[in-house]
Every structure is written in structure tokens, then in C-alpha cells.
Amino acid sequence: MDRRTPCLHQADAFREKAIADPEHHDQWIDEAIKWLERAMEAGCRAVVTVEGGDMPNVARGAAADARLSLITRQ
């Protein structure tokens, strides 16, 4: 299930509230940031399958790929 897209939509909604409600701007921006963080977490999930003995090298490679993917999306 794609959780990233709904999180990004929710963040956009809170940014719009921040623009429309200057009195509570900081509150709405804080909420938008929370949803952006959730979107980043949802986008970084990966499934890695390994066979015995391969784990140390594969795990490090998958973690590096996930970080690189996150950086290139920003």
C-alpha cells in the first residue's frame, strides 16, 4: 500500500492552512512537517531477502541504497 502519497497530500493541506490562517501559521507548519516526515519514512521502506552468509554485505548495501534514494528525491 502506498502511504507516501496520502502523507504528502496531508502535508500540502496543512501548508495551505498555514497560508490561510496567519495567526496559527506555526502550528500548521509544525503539522505539515510531521506529515512530510511520515512521507519520508513511508518512502524509505524496502524489502530485502538474503540467503545465509550474505547478510552483512547485503544489509549494508540496502541501507546505502535507501539513503541514496532518499537524498535524490529531495
Side-chain angles (χ1 to χ4, degrees):
M1 180 173 142
D2 176 29
R3 289 185 45 229
R4 185 172 178 260
T5 302
C7 290
L8 291 173
H9 287 298
Q10 192 67 34
D12 287 341
F14 279 113
R15 278 195 298 261
E16 289 176 15
K17 282 186 178 186
I19 293 168
D21 184 8
E23 188 172 317
H24 298 101
H25 179 269
D26 292 344
Q27 173 188 347
W28 299 129
I29 291 298
D30 288 343
E31 289 296 321
I33 290 169
K34 289 177 191 175
W35 283 100
L36 287 172
E37 289 171 348
R38 289 177 184 149
M40 287 174 43
E41 290 171 4
C44 290
R45 298 186 188 208
V47 175
V48 178
T49 58
V50 295
E51 294 185 23
D54 292 339
M55 185 60 181
N57 292 332
V58 172
R60 278 196 299 265
D65 289 345
R67 284 192 301 273
L68 179 59
S69 176
L70 177 62
I71 291 168
T72 57
R73 280 190 245 152
Q74 294 178 350

